[in-house]
Amino acid sequence: MKRHWVITCTMLMVILGAFPVSANYPRFDTIITGGKVIDGTENPWYYADVGINNGHITAIGNLEGAVATRCIDATGMVVAPGFIDIHTHADDDIFDLPLAENYIQQGVTTVVGGNCGGSLFPVKERLAELEKKNIGINFALLVGHGTIREEVMGMVNRAPTAVELDKMKTLATEAMRSGAFGISTGLYYAPGFYAKTDEVIELAKVVAGYGGIYTTHIRDESDYNIGLGAAVKEAIEIGEKSRAPVQISHLKCLGKPVWGKANEILDLIAQARARGVDVTFDQYPYVASGTSLMGAIIPRWAQEGGHGELVKRLQDSNMRVKIREEMSANIERRGGPHTLFIARCSSDPTLEGKNLKEIGETKGIAPVDAAIEIQIAGGADIVSFNMQEEDLELIMQSPYGMIGSDGSLVEFGEGVPHPRYYGTFPRVLGLYVREKGVLSLEEAVRKMTSAPANRLGLTDRGILREGMVADIVIFDPETVRDLATFEKPHQYPQGIVYVLLAGHVTVEMGKHTGVRAGQVLYHRAQPCQ
């Protein structure tokens, strides 16, 4: 077991009388000694001590002889910037779970909420409320296009009028002025699916005018509607015409019809960048996705008007036949009913952890009818096995990608959520760096730190450098790994030894200290001239 000093460095020597306290010795609140520094830029690791004062990094180098209130011995460890999860749905639960323990324990110090078109709203008021919660993680927000659209138009499947579009643009402007880092779309989901490309371009122009980004759950990750390739092209077109930087969310090849197409979509991104379109993406390291039952298999036309209207259609015998037919096709597209597992179901928690095939057999009905019953009762979150490892690894190796969990905050032991909620970042470091060699350690850290920081415009985080905020993770590269599984997801990872938020020790020896040192982060938007 490695020894970790947690009281003093030179101060201990002072206490023991080795030498007297002198004003000539540099003084720090905390010193991290003996670790391999991976600074987040993809530079090779190097040995250095890290000195922290007032929540910021004030020295990196040989700090022998310095005095510190606290010293952390990182011998044998990697010292890296705190991880930034550019794609989460943490805004769903951060008011109820402000410690954000399932993220902090992964080494994540900043989460970005408001993805896939849905967000806290209105931005100014909700972020002000969050400021009062004394959160345990840094939180940044995108404003959701679907949220704005529903606010102005409701759940209708049509183009906006000129007046409605102007209202949406006004709300987007207000969100950017209130600190949003950009706008997200969920063009695969309702109501985002109802928006045509030109509508999204107009809103992305607003965001670009304030230096924000355009983040998108693309319209199709399989062959549901326009196809995977066309959906990537649409994202690129929106960026090209609006001049907003594009972040494609959780890039993947979902379902058998698009397996093996990773190189094709990566080529589209590379070609776009070659002609000057700023497009990047994020990815989670699992071959199973997670979403709502409704989002996965229920046709968008049937969702118009919201849940109540959907239930009415399902209760209409003629409508039900058509919906059922399309749902059955979507279940097969995702790999069949045995691959779709219920993660959370508030109407019947006994279904959690079971797949649609098992549920149908228990009820004596077809899996699709079991799905309809669940949806009528209020719906459920699902985990769906629908990807190939080869595609995942090819996508991971692209220099234009980042790591994002697509997860949420979760109460420990509640439901059977996707293991990415607990394991995304340690899984990359353990499985894809140490065991498979898909990435170098330095490249993996870059994808988790400076790459998302640069994408968001966070100039004071994401790199270990003097003057930066001391958001730091210390991990053991020989033992770090995810422990969460699909069967038993509520397990914190191993090998994440310390996590510091603005210099405050939040995780110590793998245990949460209870310290809440997070901040609500604001994009300081200035209209571009």
Side-chain angles (χ1 to χ4, degrees), residues 465-487:
R465 183 177 293 163
E466 292 181 14
M468 304 292 272
V469 175
D471 291 347
I472 296 172
V473 59
I474 303 171
F475 64 89
D476 186 336
E478 298 303 319
T479 64
V480 64
R481 60 175 292 217
D482 60 315
L483 298 178
T485 66
F486 289 97
E487 295 76 23

Side-chain angles (χ1 to χ4, degrees), residues 42 97 137 166 228 274 288 321 357 370 372 470 518:
E42 207 179 343
L97 299 168
I137 198 165
D166 282 344
L228 173 60
V321 169
K357 184 175 185 293
I372 289 172

Side-chain angles (χ1 to χ4, degrees), residues 404-424:
S405 69
D406 193 19
S408 302
L409 301 177
V410 62
E411 188 78 52
F412 193 87
E414 183 179 293
V416 189
H418 197 298
R420 67 192 184 195
Y421 288 30
Y422 287 91
T424 293

